[in-house]
Amino acid sequence: MIFVEFLVSMFALLLVGVPIAVAILGTVAIMIVTTGLSNFTLLPTYLFSGTNSFAMMAVPFFMLAGEIMNEGELSKGIVDFCRTLLGHVKAGLGYVAVLACMMFACVSGAAVATVSAIGGIMLPILIQEGYDREDSTAIICAGSITGPIIPPSIPMVLFGTISGVSVTRMFVSGVIPGIIAGVLVMITWKIMSKNKEYKVLPRASVKEVIESGIKALPCLFMPVIMMGGMLTGIFTPTEAGVVAVVYAFLVATFLNRKMNIHVLKKCMVNAAKSSAVVMFIVATTTALAAIITVAQIPQVIAAGLSAVSQNPLVIMCLINVIILIIGLFMDVIPAISIVGPIFLPIVKSLGVDPTIFGVTMIFGLVIGLLTPPVGAVLYIGCSMGEISLMQLVKKIAPLVGVYLLVLFLLTFFPGLITFLPDLVM
């Protein structure tokens, strides 16, 4: 009965258009009043404890680093370097778009930042070179959702904070899944462009490749510094966020010469607004998680799943389906904050490594960024490509299928997630 009350309260508030954080807080208040499982005097403590975390400080720093990189045009060097590597093959600019998205994901940590930065540069180039507008938009959108998977990843910082899993371990765990997804997206692009006569660019000389690589090196060196520092214990993920901000600022100011006091102010305001939204959601979901735990909602769901099957693999597949459905209607950050505390005790009871659950959950939720009705990347793509939602949905469907394939591949072969962190940590 309490579980039904939780679902009805949450979705009723969301359906009438209440902002997600306020809807979560409203659900907490309703459950406190109707169930008596807690009281309002404890609510401020719950809200404060959710954001009182050193690891969560990484979120505003990574967001600020992303803003500085966008405004400082650090993505342009990545795109030029990828063009010299792959521009000469058939339909090569599509591969360039995906590779550029994967490289930018190594410094942005977010899908929206990736599609905005790479799409803003690559989409006009693709269209100018005669590529299909709808196909071009679809491939950029599909490539961009490697942002929350390839480290550093803002959703992984959040999951690490919620679950107690090392954020560094989460980062390393996302490398292989992100590369697999990117490669399969490229293979799908090859199939999509098989019967189309796209212009082939001249092969770049070794000198041009080296020159473009040198120009892109300042941006490409950032993830090396961050991951190297975290893996060697020189600094924590939060401190890595600070390093990323300082490094991006120095490159944007002294190398690209795109940074001034007005641009910096704009970056800081945008990062502050985005961080405030995330922190408010985290605070309210921490309160909700406390109520959920006292109400034993995870145990209710576990009993329901156990009634279907006792096989951990089957239960993980069922959880994947539930997460995919949630991803259709909810953005990644609030979904992690709500779903994580519910399913984490269940997967632990099955003997599943929380790292595996974290990566598959994030992977499943980011697929929702490419699907209506909430897909943020989808709507940005429509705006950038000046195409209708249905046109983009039709073209992106095979690429969504690729991500679904990878999700269940990771579920059936979890060693793809744990191999690298077990090797280097």
Side-chain angles (χ1 to χ4, degrees), residues 54 168 226 229-230 233-241:
F54 183 72
T168 304
M226 289 191 295
M230 286 186 284
I234 295 175
F235 42 71
T236 65
T238 299
E239 291 163 347

Side-chain angles (χ1 to χ4, degrees), residues 251-265:
V251 172
T253 303
F254 297 107
L255 289 182
N256 293 7
R257 300 187 182 278
K258 297 292 182 180
M259 187 59 59
N260 56 52
I261 190 65
H262 300 293
V263 175
L264 181 60
K265 179 183 176 182

Side-chain angles (χ1 to χ4, degrees), residues 305-328:
L305 292 173
S306 298
V308 177
S309 174
Q310 298 290 329
N311 188 322
L313 191 57
V314 173
I315 294 177
M316 285 297 292
C317 288
L318 290 172
I319 291 175
N320 282 346
V321 172
I322 295 170
I323 287 171
L324 287 168
I325 293 170
I326 291 171
L328 292 173

Side-chain angles (χ1 to χ4, degrees), residues 19-86:
I20 180 68
V22 180
I24 295 168
L25 193 59
T27 302
V28 171
I30 291 169
M31 293 185 72
I32 288 175
V33 170
T34 58
T35 66
L37 293 172
S38 186
N39 59 72
F40 286 104
T41 59
L42 291 174
L43 187 56
T45 304
Y46 294 147
L47 296 173
F48 177 73
S49 65
T51 55
N52 185 28
S53 165
F54 183 72
M56 282 302 296
M57 288 176 63
V59 173
F61 287 122
F62 280 126
M63 287 188 168
L64 179 56
E67 291 288 341
I68 293 173
M69 285 184 287
N70 279 342
E71 295 295 333
E73 297 184 3
L74 273 72
S75 55
K76 189 175 185 300
I78 292 176
V79 170
D80 291 341
F81 179 51
C82 293
R83 285 182 71 180
T84 60
L85 290 177
L86 296 172

